[in-house]
Amino acid sequence: IRQLRKRGKNNRALLVKDAHKLTADFISELPFSLTRAQQRVIDEIFSDLGRKTAMQRLLQGDVGSGKTIIAALAALATLRAGHQVALMAPTELLAEQHLQTLSKWLSPLNINISLLTGKLPAAQKRNILGAMSNGETQLVIGTHALFQDDTRFLHLGLIIVDEQHRFGVHQRLALREKGRHGKYTPHQLIMTATPIPRTLAMTAYADLDTSIIDELPPGRQPVETAVMPDAKRHEIIQAVQKACLDGRQVYWVCTLIEESEALQCQAAEVTAGTLSEALDGLNVGLIHGRMKSTEKESVMEDFRAGDTDVLVATTVIEVGVDVPNASLMIIENAERLGLAQLHQLRGRVGRGSTASACVLMYQGKLSANGRARLSAMRETSDGFEIARRDLELRGPGELLGTRQTGLLQLRIADLSRDADLLEQVPSLAVEIEAESPNMVPLLLRRWAGDVMSYGDV
Ligand code: ADP
Ligand code: MG
């Protein structure tokens, strides 16, 4: 890890001097003041941006901790220093939401923003690609379409990746390659809401420095979580009705064990139909992955505006979606989901100042593991604690998923079992470097040969 980082420090970057000054006017106009954790993280990022070597920073902050404003500030400083910025999100829905949020914040400052997703009509896409490559587009927000073959930037200064756990390590590095120009490498800010235990972060994100937002904005109340069998559906629907009559908004999430998107969408359609009948006088909306982008946008728009009371959704809303007035979440088949996913889904509520609740519905008899997961959800809303339990229940490989196993694969150590030993490793590494420098290349070749060339990308 030390060796990989040393190499990373050779990447020259475009300077962003005086980032604090470049953003002071914007910060003073915000409708809220930054939390202490947000300020600390901003200081860390701004000091990186002011260096000649490319920032490679992982920003961990639990769901709802306010990462978007951090992204906006890093972007604004870079833009005002005269460089381009790319923001990549894992879903169209989230890219679209970021476009809205960032346009609201940055368009009044005459920042030119474009959206690039895979589904754009060809002519429109050509225009945006043109504007990116000639520098007219300053900030581009998009999905993985951002690192496809035909994208070019003029002088990309900063890459921001939101919900990094949804992308693979390769995709992140591919986007960085896109942005290289001459001897310059763009700064990288990698954001994730899925907290991972420190020992795991050490290996999965070996090449990154870490910042943590460990504080939620003021006024948030913990989401009260209940676990209920499907047999209580009728009562749950009554609770939904009552919540809506009180002016609250509700997500009803349909999940299925099969990864088949078609089946998931179908289930959501059926549920939307039955809820619509059961909830007389209330507006029930529907959103799923098979709808056209424009349809999805208008559904989200209605929900955001408060015109829709209940939004029936597939897991398309899992990451990033931010509608603070929504304060009740129902998740069907919760026993089949992993802890990280449940935590993300539940994170869609509890984003405003109203007390929020989440109902985890399950079918049939719970397995021991399923019961352990649902209990964990009921007992804690702390993302780090949930990640720790997830690591225990599933092991590191599954926790990160195959796309996310990271730069370093451990051959012998077990991250849960050996956590205390791993703590001692960094100082031992320093010792070996100092006392037996000749051993370093040999050890690396023996234990991490493939990784070292990979880290070079
Ligand atoms: P996440 O970290 O999950 O991406 P968001 O950036 O979407 O969180 O922020 C969640 C909500 O909290 C948004 O509505 C955002 O405007 C609001 N928010 C962010 N920072 C603060 C703050 N310091 N004070 C009050 N509200 C904030
Ligand atoms: Mg977010």
Side-chain angles (χ1 to χ4, degrees), residues 32-35 38 62-69 217-218 220 322 324 351:
F32 49 76
S33 38
L34 297 175
T35 61
Q38 284 172 321
D62 214 345
V63 281
S65 62
K67 294 181 293 297
T68 318
I69 186 66
R220 298 279 175 81
D322 181 46
R351 301 172 82 85

Side-chain angles (χ1 to χ4, degrees), residues 16-62:
V16 179
K17 272 197 232 152
D18 296 329
H20 279 290
K21 269 193 207 143
L22 293 174
T23 49
D25 60 331
F26 173 67
I27 291 180
S28 67
E29 296 286 318
L30 280 176
F32 49 76
S33 38
L34 297 175
T35 61
R36 237 171 313 163
Q38 284 172 321
Q39 270 161 5
R40 190 190 61 238
V41 164
I42 280 295
D43 288 345
E44 288 164 356
I45 292 170
F46 282 2
S47 103
D48 283 359
L49 292 177
R51 294 206 186 98
K52 287 198 195 101
T53 53
M55 169 170 79
Q56 306 212 54
R57 187 166 284 281
L58 176 72
L59 170 56
Q60 289 194 59
D62 214 345

Side-chain angles (χ1 to χ4, degrees), residues 6 28 45 60 75 96 128 142 194 289 316 324 336 345 417 442:
K6 274 191 193 160
S28 67
I45 292 170
Q60 289 194 59
E96 183 66 43
I128 294 174
T194 301
V316 288
R336 291 162 166 178
L345 279 169
R417 187 193 62 201
L442 298 175

Side-chain angles (χ1 to χ4, degrees), residues 236-344:
I236 296 169
I237 293 176
Q238 280 179 335
V240 166
Q241 179 146 32
K242 185 169 175 309
C244 294
L245 293 176
D246 287 344
R248 296 161 65 187
Q249 286 176 282
V250 182
Y251 292 102
W252 187 295
V253 184
C254 301
T255 70
L256 284 175
I257 189 162
E258 299 89 7
E259 285 287 286
S260 155
E261 206 191 2
L263 285 175
Q264 212 181 78
C265 300
Q266 211 178 21
E269 266 163 24
V270 172
T271 305
T274 38
L275 284 180
S276 193
E277 268 172 41
L279 299 169
D280 204 19
L282 294 176
N283 283 329
V284 177
L286 170 68
I287 191 160
H288 60 63
R290 297 213 141 186
M291 290 160 63
K292 289 209 196 82
S293 318
T294 47
E295 278 178 276
K296 280 190 274 189
E297 279 159 39
S298 81
V299 170
M300 279 319 291
E301 203 36 65
D302 289 347
F303 192 57
R304 211 165 267 136
D307 297 338
T308 305
D309 300 294
V310 180
L311 183 60
V312 177
T314 59
T315 47
V316 288
I317 58 132
E318 179 183 331
V319 290
V321 169
D322 181 46
V323 180
N325 192 51
S327 61
L328 177 58
M329 154 93 34
I330 316 292
I331 304 175
E332 290 203 56
N333 301 320
E335 79 279 14
R336 291 162 166 178
L337 302 182
L339 273 177
Q341 196 173 13
L342 286 170
H343 181 60
Q344 280 282 342

